[in-house]
Amino acid sequence: MQKTKIILTIVVVAGVVLSGVIQQWLLVDLPNPNQLYQHTSAPSTKIYDRYGTLLYEITDPHQGLHTPLTLAEIPSACAQATIATEDASFYQNPGVDLWAILRALYLNLKGGEVLSGGSTITQQLTRNLLLSPQERTQVTLTRKLREAILAWRIARAYSKDEILTLYLNETYYGNLAYGIEAASRTYFGKHAAELDLAECAMLAGLPQSPANYNPLENPAVAQARQNTVLDLLTKSRFITSDEANNARREKLGFAPIPFPIKAPHFVMYIRGQLEKIYGLEAIYRQGLEVHTTLDLDMQNTAQRVVRYRLADLSKEKEGVPPSNVHNSAVVILDPYTGEVLTMLGSPDYFDPQIDGAVNATVATRQPGSSIKPLTYAAAFDPDIATAHGYAPLTAATMMVDSRTSFVTKEGDPYVPENYDRIWRGPVLLRQSLASSYNLIAVKVLDYVGLESMIGLARQMGITTFDNKNFGLALTLGGGEVRLLELTGVYAAFANGGRKIEPVTINFINDHDGQVIYRWQPENNPGPRVLDGRTAYLITTILSDNHARRSTFGDSSPLRLNHRTAAAKTGTTQDWRDNWTIGYTPDLVVGVWTGNANNEPMQHISGVTGAAPIWHDVMEELHKGRPEREFTKPDGFVEKTVCSDNGLLPDFRFSIFDFGLEEQSKIQNPLSPNGGKSKIVPCPHTIKEIFIVGTEPHLTDNWHQRIAIDRRNGLLAGGNCPLDFVTFETFTLYPAEATEWAKKQGIALPPHDYSPFCPLEGTDRPTELNSEPPRPSVNPKDTLIFTSPDQGSVFRLVPNIPADKQKITIKVRPANGVNVKQISLWVNGKLLAETTQTLWQLVPGDYTFEAIGLDNAGHKLRSTPVRVRVVSGE
């Protein structure tokens, strides 16, 4: 009996002690649920430009844009979307997620992290309104249990509708909006009662991560989140699949209600940065003073220019269709510090007609040709070339701009075209980049490889090229980028090859004036990502008005008055985006023009849309600044080269240095048996700079004076009487330029010898016995297929008779290769003994080859061309 009393006493005492411990641990200072409607004010956070001009004051949400609604005033779609997304069992649970509590206890006992996810709507409301700012950010078992106890008490004290109403009125939706009414006005410029299903789904997806799901900065991510909410609504049977699909197809228009703010896109960007670094409580409770890098005068100048130029593009002009261009964005950076001096996301943040609140400086868009300098930089840079195992190219490297088929990763043919659909034959890379030739850019990327170009892009600050299955079209703008990041890439060209991180905040003070953050300028520019000589070489090309005149003319907007500037345009193929990004030694300016809703423009290119804005902004901002030239680093050598092939001119002879008698004694390199010709200097030369070690060493052999029998225009042999010989100058183009030259009407040298002037010691006096000296030809490419393209896929058409479905098989000899016999083969079987034939399409995989003999009996081969024929059924 005595023993039982002792045990009971111990139990009672233990219970009292345990109750006391729990009381001290969890309940002693637990807020009263009746305080749910009480809020305290706090000093506001102020955001300034670089000179101390106030841009915006972030006030306590309950003193600013915060309008509580009744549940009846909130669309049922918004309430249902919130429940489906945040707490599907809201109307059934006791205010807490028991599984989440048990998981927290289990992890705590294991010594692991206590997760904060899985909270009910009631728990979230409790955490946001009743727990202290310090406690609500803790990820501990204590906070989780205290939150659960409070949520359970609130569920006893308030009805479910009251709790849901409070949640919808107090939840933070990003962009300074607390509550569904403020969110509706902030994002859509309308009252919450007017929201439809698609808009409700967009808003309901924001509270979990307002900064990441921000539709004004990350439209694609926000849309994906909206789709998730619609799926959850369908799963919870609030809506049907058809209703969800209709909502997905709806184009949302973003239009916040005007309120006092300067540089709103920039302020919202800063607001998002502060939230990520310090959290919401610091913004609303600590009275921060944020001193940014923005120059408000520059910002206003850019906005004024953008509005003027867009208005001009929208004017009715005789013979010019409406442009349908309504939006533009501008970024201005200091190329040496990375400071963001201007961030204009649209011409009018509050204009609902243009989705003005969308910040196009950080949205992802296709850059068109404005990405090309990265490809050329990878090709020119000696260190990058060595690392990836190829010889660096130069600004004087020649490539042939003519129709070329590439094979994609999927095995399909890819034939890029130039913007104006004109082929220009042999061109040097300086002109190719400056004039933005597409085909050559693809050839350069094919030469350096995707890995080289993408790796450089990432090192220079492009974050959107990760985990993508890109192809050669990447150099033409096939991968999306952000204007802010691409402008930062151009800053690296301007500063001599060092990466910059765009900087927006100089320093932050707390409410007592103590500095809690200060940007360290020595962090920018960052590590070297390009050889300084490569950066300078790109700069000389992008500022070369002569090299770009074939596309842009002599007086394009890319040319500034009395000041050197480097610039590149970009236009997407479907007219949805155009760009101009360029720089001086003082500033780098990036401009995007298009429509925020992705509607195509009407024939507005980078040079007609974005370039005039870029030009005017540059001219305005450089008024009063001294003219400066780009600094040329050491390590260059200057050479005179032929303008058509980039080779060193041969100045040993002039075409006027010898007469017919002397010419007759010159052995013709076209033939070892006495034909007559002479290499002559190229007619046009240019001066080019080369990174030391990359300068050319080969001498030009394209231009030759060749002996012609004037009686028939054929080659004159060594014994041809001088009375019948004339010497004519020809350009011996590489094989892939032959077709281009013919279409241009350029005279090419004859292949056959005159029957009146046979070569000595040959049995075939009327034929050329050997090749002229040409750029070296790969033996396997002495015969070239012009049809079909490598990797082509042909599909049979069911309603056309099979015997009518044929394709042309055509092959030609490489330039300078003299052929007496050619046969076409398919899958190892003889198809025809000719250079061209029709071939019947039959489903299957096929390999075409051409085999031939030249006049000397040497065997010739083509590169095999592989195609596929598939059934159309």
Side-chain angles (χ1 to χ4, degrees), residues 820-841:
K820 68 176 182 180
Q821 178 181 323
I822 289 181
S823 58
L824 299 174
W825 298 72
V826 57
N827 287 357
K829 296 181 179 180
L830 180 65
L831 177 62
E833 291 187 344
T834 180
T835 59
Q836 180 175 336
T837 187
L838 290 177
W839 178 70
Q840 177 73 54
L841 293 175

Side-chain angles (χ1 to χ4, degrees), residues 465-644:
F465 283 0
D466 289 331
N467 302 319
K468 298 291 178 70
N469 187 27
F470 291 122
L472 293 176
L474 182 62
T475 191
L476 306 183
E480 293 184 335
V481 300
R482 296 183 174 90
L483 176 62
L484 179 61
E485 293 179 351
L486 191 55
T487 306
V489 167
Y490 278 67
F493 293 135
N495 68 33
R498 293 190 177 275
K499 178 183 180 181
I500 65 103
E501 292 285 353
V503 177
T504 55
I505 299 174
N506 276 324
F507 65 95
I508 301 174
N509 292 338
D510 64 14
H511 185 57
D512 296 324
Q514 299 297 313
V515 177
I516 61 174
Y517 168 82
R518 185 180 296 277
W519 168 60
Q520 302 299 323
E522 59 267 21
N523 293 335
N524 260 344
R528 181 170 294 283
V529 290
L530 275 180
D531 189 306
R533 297 170 298 177
T534 303
Y536 181 77
L537 189 56
I538 293 292
T539 297
T540 67
I541 294 173
L542 298 185
S543 59
D544 190 337
N545 198 60
H546 180 80
R548 64 178 170 232
R549 66 178 181 174
S550 65
T551 295
F552 300 102
D554 285 322
S555 302
S556 76
L558 303 182
R559 188 174 190 175
L560 301 184
N561 295 327
H562 313 299
R563 191 178 300 271
T564 301
K568 183 73 189 72
T569 63
T571 305
T572 54
Q573 191 173 23
D574 52 8
W575 307 96
R576 296 182 192 275
D577 306 273
N578 64 64
W579 307 62
T580 297
I581 306 178
Y583 51 94
T584 65
D586 300 297
L587 297 171
V588 54
V589 175
V591 179
W592 166 86
T593 300
N595 294 306
N597 63 3
N598 213 33
E599 284 186 1
M601 297 169 284
Q602 296 298 318
H603 303 289
I604 298 296
S605 67
V607 75
T608 58
I613 295 173
W614 177 86
H615 175 273
D616 290 358
V617 169
M618 276 291 194
E619 293 285 9
E620 287 293 320
L621 297 185
H622 282 85
K623 285 181 178 178
R625 292 177 182 257
E627 296 180 19
R628 297 173 57 201
E629 296 293 331
F630 293 102
T631 302
K632 182 180 179 180
D634 295 332
F636 280 105
V637 60
E638 185 178 277
K639 294 283 187 180
T640 297
V641 297
C642 297
S643 61
D644 55 358

Side-chain angles (χ1 to χ4, degrees), residues 127 340 540 617 635 807:
R127 179 169 65 250
V340 177
T540 67
V617 169
I807 62 170

